[in-house]
Amino acid sequence: SFRQHVPKGLKTPPGPRGYPILGNVLELRKDTHLALTRLSQKYGDVMEVRIGTRPVLVLSGLDTIKQALVKQGEDFMGRPDLHSFQYISNGQSLAFSPDSGEVWKARRRLAQNALKTFSIAPSPTSSSTCLLEEHVSKEADYLVTKFLQLMDEEKSFDLNRYLVVSVANVICAICFGKRYDHNDQELLSLVNLSNEFGDAAAAGNPADFIPVLRYLPSRTMQLFKDINRRFSFFVQKIVQEHYTSFDKEHIRDITDSLIEHCQEKSVGEDARVPLSNEKIISIVNDLFGAGFDTVATALSWSLMYVALYPDIQKKIQEELDQTIGRERRPRLSDRGTLPYTEAFILEMFRHSSFLPFTIPHSTTKATVLNGYYIPKDTCVFINQWQVNHDAKLWKDPSTFNPERFLNAAGTEISRTESDKVMAFGLGKRRCIGESIGRWEVFLFLATMLQQLEFSLRPGEEVDISPQYGLTMKYKKCECFQIKKRFPTKSSP
Ligand code: HEM
């Protein structure tokens, strides 16, 4: 091996032999999550593949991943300097840029505080529990009306196009204090990317690992650059409007609170870690970007599963009828009282594993994992899909069965089972939108299922195999149908 200085007594991780120059890229090109899961069965939880000439460490197995991301969290909290990442947020992204030092930490803390203030903190002005509840209830009601109208006009339809706009509107309200019309072309062209973003940002994009590919024309990379450019432009325009109308006595949303932070930081407590205004303001780019595709994809899979499994849908609806009734809308505070619905959402995260890998990590220093020597700056893939389908952890992993999370009486979620689902990463890079994401999925779903029954056009063969990407989706499906469950009164 050409690697140097492997300390005595330590091994290098095993892995498949690759071709010169290409490495293992040919085996990994399609359904990378499945290919790496298969390879891990042969080579183990700590394995090394080569993509192009670059070695990539692939971690599988819940215990091994916890050891790396939690117990040795500092060693594994970096991000690799990948070619495609430099186009995201002008290379300033909180989530994708290679920074993992003090500046990243300060920005992450700022993002967490801003998110909390404008989502799940108690609302001072409204009757809702919090702003998030207010935004989601409004958008979910809109979706119910829209779906009924589409069903009336078209008899079957593609619901994802509308779902993504409603979810985007929730994060728009939190970040920018505004809502967009479902026919707004500018927002539509940003949020209906299908996979333009996810194809290039997916773990294992060959252009990130084989330098020569950067100089060849690539449709994927062209679309990716274009979408990032449009995205930054969209956000920048809104930020400019906020600067113009900014009033420090009246902070309206996350963008305002970041502007306020820019103005106060020189006198404030954080002077220890100086952050440029650009690095502060661009946080809203990350929040907006991470906040709609993930949640929309989760809801999209949820509605596909209820349509595919009518008995499971019926059980959720019976639980909603019994616990909430039909007279009022579901609220966030109902979540703890709906174990079957909760179990369904957990099973949706596990079975779809629509984020098959976390964002790639990298080592911040040379380290040792399970007896294997890992050099500094090694790119690391975390295989969430493998954990969620590991036969050592799950009985019949390929079966969709919410009951696996419930006790025998069906009254409680088992924490030991729910803690095994990997969807938001773990440790220092764990998703900062996890609670918002979970609350949103819950309330959108409960509101829609209380009022509507979902199905697929009879006789239709649907293909739900996920298409590989940063977030995996099923192929466009235009055969959703809905039925009203009961007559609704004019005001909820
Ligand atoms: C990172 C999942 C919703 C903001 C991540 C990561 C995953 C993830 C797997 C990468 C973790 C790692 O690299 O180890 C999800 C899922 C969501 C969701 C499944 C919804 C169902 C959200 C929302 C927001 C958000 C709503 C913000 C409003 C972020 C940010 C990061 C991140 C900023 C980067 C953190 C860092 O690099 O330090 N998320 N996410 N996410 N997520 Fe989420």
Side-chain angles (χ1 to χ4, degrees):
S1 160
F2 52 83
R3 234 183 288 101
Q4 313 134 13
H5 305 310
V6 176
K8 236 178 128 184
L10 294 176
K11 305 159 284 182
T12 57
R17 280 177 63 102
Y19 296 100
I21 305 184
L22 293 173
N24 307 106
V25 76
L26 296 179
E27 319 156 55
L28 303 181
R29 203 173 29 172
K30 265 193 65 207
D31 290 333
T32 311
H33 58 302
L34 302 180
L36 288 178
T37 298
R38 266 193 309 272
L39 286 171
S40 78
Q41 284 159 2
K42 181 159 174 206
Y43 295 102
D45 285 354
V46 182
M47 143 178 106
E48 186 181 290
V49 298
R50 275 195 311 113
I51 306 184
T53 51
R54 189 163 175 169
V56 173
L57 187 73
V58 182
L59 301 185
S60 314
L62 188 57
D63 292 335
T64 297
I65 290 173
K66 277 188 179 158
Q67 178 66 36
L69 298 190
V70 183
K71 299 213 183 86
Q72 294 173 230
E74 295 273 336
D75 304 356
F76 285 91
M77 72 180 176
R79 293 280 190 225
D81 194 356
L82 296 184
H83 174 70
S84 57
F85 291 2
Q86 78 193 35
Y87 297 106
I88 306 175
S89 265
N90 296 316
Q92 306 260 343
S93 167
L94 168 71
F96 293 94
S97 86
D99 178 25
S100 65
E102 290 300 314
V103 169
W104 163 74
K105 274 193 194 128
R107 292 175 86 204
R108 187 173 155 106
R109 214 172 315 120
L110 203 55
Q112 278 169 316
N113 290 337
L115 261 186
K116 201 164 148 193
T117 309
F118 289 97
S119 62
I120 49 185
S123 161
T125 51
S126 87
S127 60
S128 300
T129 322
C130 62
L131 288 169
L132 187 69
E133 178 172 288
E134 196 174 309
H135 302 318
V136 175
S137 301
K138 189 160 118 196
E139 292 299 331
D141 275 345
Y142 176 86
L143 274 182
V144 169
T145 313
K146 188 75 200 174
F147 288 166
L148 286 166
Q149 181 201 338
L150 285 164
M151 190 61 197
D152 206 40
E153 289 165 0
E154 296 168 29
K155 308 297 171 227
S156 84
F157 57 96
D158 167 21
L159 48 75
N160 291 314
R161 183 177 170 280
Y162 301 91
L163 210 50
V164 73
V165 178
S166 279
V167 174
N169 267 334
V170 172
I171 194 75
C172 270
I174 295 173
C175 290
F176 309 128
K178 67 201 259 181
R179 170 174 198 277
Y180 287 83
D181 187 87
H182 278 239
N183 295 313
D184 186 284
Q185 289 309 315
E186 195 184 5
L187 186 74
L188 275 178
S189 76
L190 272 189
V191 298
N192 270 312
L193 326 165
S194 54
N195 268 327
E196 289 177 22
F197 186 85
D199 284 349
N205 172 14
D208 283 334
F209 296 92
I210 304 176
V212 66
L213 292 180
R214 278 163 224 173
Y215 306 102
L216 302 178
S218 148
R219 196 180 126 77
T220 304
M221 282 309 286
Q222 212 44 56
L223 286 168
F224 183 70
K225 287 183 208 174
D226 188 53
I227 178 74
N228 279 297
R229 217 169 333 179
R230 277 188 289 145
F231 204 85
S232 295
F233 181 72
F234 178 83
V235 173
Q236 237 159 46
K237 226 171 40 179
I238 299 175
V239 169
Q240 282 315 321
E241 290 164 12
H242 275 70
Y243 266 111
T244 311
S245 56
F246 181 77
D247 168 7
K248 72 177 189 332
E249 302 303 322
H250 181 52
I251 301 301
R252 297 161 292 184
D253 47 40
I254 287 184
T255 305
D256 270 357
S257 83
L258 294 173
I259 293 174
E260 183 187 34
H261 194 84
C262 288
Q263 301 188 337
E264 286 183 348
K265 68 175 183 234
S266 40
V267 283
E269 73 296 347
D270 282 328
R272 198 172 52 87
V273 188
L275 291 181
S276 69
N277 287 358
E278 195 191 352
K279 281 224 157 66
I280 294 172
I281 299 293
S282 66
I283 287 173
V284 76
N285 240 322
D286 276 278
L287 297 179
F288 180 49
F292 71 85
D293 189 45
T294 45
V295 176
T297 306
L299 285 166
S300 164
W301 281 104
S302 300
L303 295 179
M304 180 54 93
Y305 285 123
V306 294
L308 281 175
Y309 302 106
D311 295 347
I312 293 177
Q313 179 171 190
K314 213 164 270 145
K315 279 192 194 160
I316 300 175
Q317 284 161 337
E318 279 163 12
E319 183 177 72
L320 290 169
D321 286 347
Q322 274 163 21
T323 313
I324 296 173
R326 296 179 167 188
E327 296 300 310
R328 67 168 180 89
R329 292 280 188 277
R331 311 190 59 163
L332 288 182
S333 53
D334 294 315
R335 187 169 156 207
T337 66
L338 298 160
Y340 191 84
T341 307
E342 196 67 24
F344 169 82
I345 294 172
L346 286 163
E347 183 67 341
M348 176 278 296
F349 277 123
R350 185 198 69 82
H351 192 269
S352 71
S353 296
F354 65 83
L355 278 149
F357 297 95
T358 67
I359 300 168
H361 286 237
S362 79
T363 46
T364 55
K365 54 164 101 74
T367 185
V368 177
L369 181 65
N370 293 8
Y372 295 109
Y373 175 73
I374 323 285
K376 182 178 190 288
D377 294 324
T378 303
C379 179
V380 184
F381 289 177
I382 308 291
N383 194 344
Q384 301 201 112
W385 195 95
Q386 188 278 335
V387 171
N388 293 335
H389 292 84
D390 189 343
K392 292 195 210 90
L393 293 179
W394 309 100
K395 185 167 170 280
D396 303 327
S398 60
T399 307
F400 188 89
N401 174 24
E403 259 127 28
R404 65 172 81 243
F405 292 104
L406 292 167
N407 63 354
T411 51
E412 242 172 278
I413 297 284
S414 154
R415 272 298 294 272
T416 37
E417 293 304 301
S418 66
D419 283 353
K420 296 190 306 200
V421 180
M422 272 275 288
F424 296 88
L426 287 172
K428 307 224 174 272
R429 285 282 179 170
R430 187 180 188 127
C431 176
I432 63 170
E434 174 169 355
S435 24
I436 297 178
R438 288 189 194 271
W439 285 114
E440 258 191 80
V441 171
F442 164 76
L443 195 56
F444 263 113
L445 198 61
T447 308
M448 289 190 284
L449 289 181
Q450 182 193 39
Q451 298 177 67
L452 301 178
E453 187 184 305
F454 290 82
S455 59
L456 299 163
R457 200 162 56 210
E460 204 72 41
E461 284 284 327
V462 288
D463 176 8
I464 66 151
S465 50
Q467 301 170 276
Y468 183 70
L470 178 67
T471 52
M472 300 198 292
K473 298 158 168 83
Y474 51 82
K475 292 204 184 75
K476 188 180 167 97
C477 171
E478 293 180 309
C479 54
F480 275 99
Q481 300 188 315
I482 51 125
K483 217 162 65 193
K484 213 167 171 162
R485 294 189 60 228
F486 50 86
T488 32
K489 287 179 254 153
S490 48
S491 75

